[in-house]
Amino acid sequence: MKKWLMFLAMAMLALVLAACTANKEAGKEPEKTDGNTSSTDEGKDGSGEEASSGDKVLYLNNGQEPTSFDPSIGFDAVSWSALNNIMEGLTRLDENHKAVEATAEKIDISEDGLTYTFHIRDNAKWSNGDPVVAGDFVFAWKHMLDQETASPAAFLAYFIEGAEAYNNGEGSADDIAIKAEDDKTFVVKLSAPNEAFLNIITNPSFFPINEKVATENPEWHTNAATFVGNGPFKLTSWDHDVSFEFEKNENYWDADAVKLDKVHWAMVNDSNTEYQMYQSGELDLSGVPSELAEQLKDSDELVVEDQAGLYFYRFNTSMEPFTNAKIRRAFAMAVDQEEIVQYVTKNGEKPAHGFVAYGFIGPDGKEFRDTVGDLVSYNPDEAKKLLEEGMKEEGYTELPKVTLTYSTSESHQNIAIALQSKFKEVLGADVELQNVEAKVFASEQKEFKYQLSRSSFLHDYADPVNALESFITGSSMNRTTWSNAEYDKLIEDIKNETDENKRWELLQDADRLLMEEMPVFPLYFYNQTTLEKPGVSGILRHPVGYLDLKYADKN
C-alpha cells in the first residue's frame, strides 16, 4: 500500500459509541425462553470462568443492543465488533493492520488495477454447514446497494462499476460489475483503480449473506436460532437489550486457530456499572470511567491506544440561527477542546482542530493533521465578533432559541453540560439541553430534526477521504442539510486523482473548506483506554477496523 494509506495509530475497540440507557437487567445472563436464548452462567467462578465445564469464556460489554446483524444495516460501532467475529469477508485485517486473504484463498488483480478475481476457499462454510459460494457475495453486495435496503454503507461500494447508478435508482442490478463465474470464483470490476479496495472490503458491509437462508427467511439475522454466519464464532444466544453469546464455530475454515470456546457480551451503557462488573470479575474488559481516569492511569491492566475517528457536533444548517456560517463558527470557537479532554473526558484524547484524525501519512512522509494545522480553536474574542456579525446579517436583535440534543449516556451528558456552560460564558447564549434515547436519537438525527446534536465518526477504511466524503450533498452520513458545490467537486476530484501529491493537496483543501463553512465542529480525536484482565491475550484491535477475537485467548 502507498504511504498515504498507512497509520501511526494502533487499535480500535468499538465500544466508544455506546449510547443507550442501561436497564435493570443489563449484565445479567438471559433466562431460557423460546430457544433463541440460553442460560450460560451455571458454575461461573469469581474470575468469570465457567468452572463446571472448563470452557474458555471471554466476558465483554457491547454497551447496547446491536443496530442489526444484517451486515448491510449494522453500520455502526455497536454492531461491527460482533459482526466481525460471527461473519467474515473476502479479506481480513492481520496483526499488522493489513488486509490479507480470509474467505478468499487467492486474489488476482489485473494489470490495470480494475479487475479483482477472488478464489473462495474450498473449505469455507457457513455455520449451518452450507458451503460459502461466490453467489453469496453477489447476493449480499446487491442487497447492500438495493435502495429498498436503505443501507447507510452503500456509498462505500460506489467505486465498483455500476454500483452508484443502481443505488441511486438510475441503473440496473445487472449493471453492477460483480459476478460469480462459478461457485468458487467471484469477480469485481472497479470504475477506477483503488489501492484501498482490499482494505475497504474488510468492512462488515461487504460480508457475504447465505442466499438460500436469506431468501427463505428475510428475518434470518434477528434471532440466534435463525442466524447463519461464516466467521470464527457462531451466535448461539441473544436476549435482546440484555446480552448475547458466541461459541466457537466448528465449521469455520480456520477453526484450529480459534482458542476461545465462548464469548459473552453484556449490554451495559453506564461506565461505572461496567467498571464495577470488571472489578467483580463479571467482565474481562472495561472502559475507564472519566472520574477514575487519574486513579487508574498507572494500572498494569490499562491499555491505551489511538483510534482513527472523532467526537463532534453537527449543526442543522436549515434551522436558524445555524443557517448563518458566521454564527456556526462563533459557536465552534466558543468551545475549548483542550478543556474538554483535560477536565471532562480525562482519558488522554487529543483535542480535534480539524475533521481528519491523526494517523494518516502523506506521500511526503508527513502527518496529514500536522501539515494542515489547526483549523478551528478556542477563540472567545473572535467567537463574540462572529456572532455579532452573523446576527447583524440575519437581522436578529436576539439569538433564536438553541437546543443541544444528545443521546442518553453519562459521558455525552457531561460533554453537553460543558458546552452549554461555554456557550453561556463566551456568547451569552442560553442553550437548552435535550436528552434522547439512543435509537430514537439516531433515527431523528437522520431526519434532520435536531438543531445542534452530538455525533461521532470512526473510519470505515484507511484514507482521509472516508471522513471528508461524509459531507457531500445528499450523503446519508451528512445529517446537516449542508450542501456546497465546491466541496462536492473537491471530493469528486480526490477520488479521480491518480497523482499522490496532488491528491494529498486536494484532501487538505477539503478539510479546510469543511472547517471554514463549519456544518460540523470537532471536539476530540478518539483513543482507547481499556482495562484488560491479566490472562487475556491475543485480542486484535486496528486503527481502522474492528475488534477481532479470532486469536484471543484466556488463561
Side-chain angles (χ1 to χ4, degrees), residues 381-418:
D381 291 338
E382 182 67 11
K384 291 172 185 175
K385 176 175 174 288
L386 285 169
L387 179 64
E388 182 179 345
E389 291 176 358
M391 289 181 65
K392 185 176 181 180
E393 288 177 359
E394 299 299 322
Y396 298 147
T397 55
E398 62 180 40
L399 194 69
K401 178 183 175 182
V402 173
T403 300
L404 181 157
T405 306
Y406 62 94
S407 49
T408 305
S409 112
E410 180 186 11
S411 60
H412 298 330
Q413 182 182 44
N414 291 340
I415 292 170
I417 291 171

Side-chain angles (χ1 to χ4, degrees), residues 90 103 117-121 124 126 131-142 178-188 206-211:
L90 295 159
T103 301
T117 302
F118 298 91
H119 303 276
I120 298 171
R121 297 177 187 274
W126 292 99
V132 177
V133 297
D136 293 330
F137 284 95
V138 174
F139 177 82
W141 291 18
K142 288 186 177 181
I178 56 176
K179 64 179 179 179
E181 286 195 345
D182 55 50
D183 278 353
K184 294 295 181 178
T185 310
F186 178 55
V187 181
V188 181
F206 292 92
F207 289 173
I209 293 173
N210 187 311
E211 182 176 7

